[in-house]
Amino acid sequence: MTLWEKIKYALRLLFLPKSLRTMEWKMLSLVNKDRKTHGLRALRMQEDLRDVARRHSKDMARKNYFEHENIMGETPFDRLDQAGITDVIAGENLAKIRGYEIPVKRAQIGLMNSPGHRANILKSDYNCVGIGIVKGMDKSYFFTQNFAKRTLVFTKKIRKKVRMKKGLTMHGFFFSAPRDIIYQVKKNPDDKKPLYEKLIHAKGKTFHFTIPFAQTGIYHIILYTGTDKHNKKFHVVNNFEVKVRKGFFV
């Protein structure tokens, strides 16, 4: 957690100790405590991963099932892909708890006692997680943990609608060594050539840049990163759609 996240979590524990959002941060704290015990670095909570985790927990609670594959036959990787999350090596843990006074703690103990789930929690490659907790009509709690290994992290949620005049501003940091970023703007994701692209040189572990747009419409953005400045070997870390409008309200 960042310092600001720790402050918000402390305030939530004080004023909203039983809220689902507070429980999600509590589970992150327990996950990182287990990782620290085994000499592993802490995981960062990521909002896009948490959105996917919450939706799956909510779907299981509403439709009364408990599986990695949902009723539509979609796998965890399908759900990540549908959310536009393409930059991850991922794993998923599920838990369902009812009748315990402290459900988060009981769920984490149960996951750590299960070899497969424990392996996800203690996998050294992972650096991010999204945790989604939902309470069902029968008072059961559904837990979804989406683990991931990511090259970079966006510190602000990527806007799906932007003003043409302002463009799309990207903020974030790199998990590993500073990397250069290339962004491509396409009209259609399958287009072989982008409308335009730009190389952003890294100046440390953080990045901040704005993608401009000359016309309104729907565009597909592809982001690449790389560290090989000579051979320019880059790989895709994220891609998403953005709707560009002229007006003040987007």
Side-chain angles (χ1 to χ4, degrees), residues 90-209:
E92 183 179 84
N93 282 351
L94 303 179
K96 181 180 178 182
I97 295 292
R98 184 175 63 176
Y100 289 91
E101 185 177 350
I102 309 176
V104 174
K105 185 175 181 180
R106 181 63 245 177
Q108 184 63 17
I109 290 173
L111 291 169
M112 284 296 288
N113 286 336
S114 168
H117 298 100
R118 179 188 177 92
N120 273 335
I121 293 168
L122 300 182
K123 188 169 182 176
S124 60
D125 285 348
Y126 291 149
N127 51 30
C128 307
V129 68
I131 298 171
I133 304 174
V134 172
K135 189 175 183 180
M137 294 294 292
D138 65 350
K139 298 184 179 181
S140 294
Y141 287 93
F142 291 80
F143 300 79
T144 302
Q145 299 173 336
N146 285 130
F147 299 91
K149 176 184 179 182
R150 307 187 96 160
T151 302
L152 54 80
V153 169
F154 297 105
T155 50
K156 289 189 177 181
K157 194 170 184 177
I158 299 172
R159 296 176 63 88
K160 294 183 179 180
K161 298 179 182 178
V162 299
R163 291 173 60 199
M164 185 176 70
K165 188 176 181 179
K166 293 187 68 174
L168 177 63
T169 302
M170 314 294 291
H171 303 265
F173 65 89
F174 300 100
F175 270 111
S176 53
R179 296 168 177 259
D180 287 345
I181 296 175
I182 291 176
Y183 69 75
Q184 291 184 342
V185 179
K186 295 184 176 183
K187 195 62 180 175
N188 298 296
D190 296 328
D191 291 346
K192 291 184 178 180
K193 291 186 177 181
L195 296 173
Y196 55 94
E197 66 180 15
K198 185 175 181 179
L199 171 65
I200 307 295
H201 290 292
K203 295 181 180 179
K205 285 197 171 183
T206 62
F207 60 85
H208 176 98
F209 62 91

Side-chain angles (χ1 to χ4, degrees), residues 35-53:
R35 287 176 64 87
K36 184 178 180 180
T37 299
H38 290 81
L40 300 172
R41 60 181 173 179
L43 302 180
R44 287 291 303 272
M45 183 84 88
Q46 292 288 278
E47 286 301 314
D48 54 354
L49 295 173
R50 182 155 66 165
D51 286 344
V52 173

Side-chain angles (χ1 to χ4, degrees), residues 228-239:
D228 191 329
K229 298 179 184 294
H230 300 290
N231 295 328
K232 301 299 181 186
K233 293 180 180 178
F234 287 79
H235 65 277
V236 176
V237 292
N238 213 311
N239 69 83

